[in-house]
Amino acid sequence: MKQKTILFDINETVLNLTALKPKFVAAFGDDSVMATWFSMLLHSSTVCVVTDVKTDFASLARVMLDSIATRKGISLSVQMRDEILTGFANLPAHEDIQPALRQLQDAGFRTVAFSNSSRDLIAMQINNAGLSECFDEVISVESTGRFKPDPQAYQFAAEQLKQPLSSLRLVATHDWDTHGALSTGMKAAYIARTPAIYHPLYRQVDITATTMGDIVTQIIEQESERRG
């Protein structure tokens, strides 16, 4: 029987977005545009949640690409836009992901992919990254019409898993995501994929590290101590 269920954010946490940089260089002449685009995407999704705008993550991704192209005075071709967006489905996993997920599974943990993206896209991403056997389940918030960090997104995951929120833990490299999970009563672990500081006003995690291996080791040790 699985001991605990661990949910993993996908984009940036599990999959490496830097693989998209060459496509942004080709389209915009500057790979830093990728980070701006992704930040705009996350900001827009949050605005849609707060103001009850019904949409999906893929549509927002397209809109934000067109928006940033307009800001920069660039005529972004449909082909170039599609190449960037389809590249999202073919992102490689960070090097520390596969061994860490297998370590968790070997220790009896249930691993779940949990994302704002559509279920089809998540499944495609996981398969293309060679991680199909590393996740026991896939959960998309798409059917809720909401996005993380809306509390309903985490509640939906708990309902899908038929477990109380307090029994679940989210692992993410986004402090707004771990904060959202903690705000609903979940546990959370933060993997520092970048040098950016964890937001001091957000709820603080009890596990943090710079590699997924260290994150997983702490999760296993904490659960072992709890059970012992």
Side-chain angles (χ1 to χ4, degrees):
M1 181 178 293
K2 298 288 184 181
Q3 298 174 357
K4 281 285 186 179
T5 300
I6 312 298
L7 291 82
F8 290 83
D9 170 61
I10 298 302
N11 297 314
E12 288 196 305
T13 301
V14 169
L15 302 180
N16 192 345
L17 261 64
T18 60
L20 287 179
K21 284 188 174 182
K23 296 183 183 296
F24 276 88
V25 170
F28 296 96
D30 182 359
D31 64 12
S32 68
V33 174
M34 186 193 75
T36 303
W37 166 70
F38 197 63
S39 294
M40 289 171 62
L41 172 57
L42 296 175
H43 176 264
S44 181
S45 68
T46 301
V47 171
C48 288
V49 165
V50 173
T51 59
D52 202 29
V53 174
K54 302 302 181 186
T55 185
D56 58 76
F57 216 56
S59 295
L60 288 177
R62 287 193 296 272
V63 170
M64 290 303 100
L65 268 181
D66 290 341
S67 176
I68 198 167
T70 300
R71 287 188 186 186
K72 291 184 171 293
I74 292 174
S75 179
L76 191 65
S77 69
V78 173
Q79 179 181 353
M80 187 61 71
R81 185 183 67 181
D82 288 348
E83 284 186 9
I84 292 174
L85 295 176
T86 55
F88 223 58
N90 293 283
L91 296 171
H94 286 287
E95 292 182 357
D96 57 1
I97 289 298
Q98 190 170 92
L101 291 175
R102 292 193 180 280
Q103 183 182 355
L104 267 182
Q105 290 179 322
D106 290 344
F109 288 79
R110 182 185 187 189
T111 56
V112 179
F114 180 43
S115 176
N116 284 333
S117 298
S118 69
R119 183 179 178 82
D120 287 346
L121 177 56
I122 304 169
M124 191 181 302
Q125 287 179 309
I126 290 172
N127 181 66
N128 291 342
L131 299 175
S132 295
E133 295 182 359
C134 296
F135 286 106
D136 298 309
E137 295 188 45
V138 172
I139 295 178
S140 164
V141 304
E142 184 178 44
S143 63
T144 69
R146 318 298 288 181
F147 301 110
K148 297 184 293 177
D150 187 307
Q152 291 185 39
Y154 306 100
Q155 291 164 2
F156 174 74
E159 291 167 3
Q160 294 296 109
L161 295 166
K162 296 180 172 57
Q163 292 188 22
L165 283 161
S166 60
S167 71
L168 304 174
R169 180 186 290 276
L170 172 72
V171 179
T173 192
H174 306 292
D175 53 7
W176 53 263
D177 200 358
T178 52
H179 170 71
L182 290 167
S183 296
T184 66
M186 289 177 63
K187 297 181 179 64
Y190 177 73
I191 178 168
R193 292 290 191 198
T194 71
I197 66 168
Y198 190 98
H199 199 302
L201 299 182
Y202 290 173
R203 294 177 185 267
Q204 301 296 300
V205 299
D206 61 345
I207 290 178
T208 185
T210 58
T211 69
M212 194 60 77
D214 286 345
I215 292 285
V216 163
T217 296
Q218 291 183 62
I219 289 174
I220 294 173
E221 289 177 349
Q222 189 179 108
E223 178 62 13
S224 179
E225 292 174 0
R226 187 190 70 81
R227 292 168 63 86

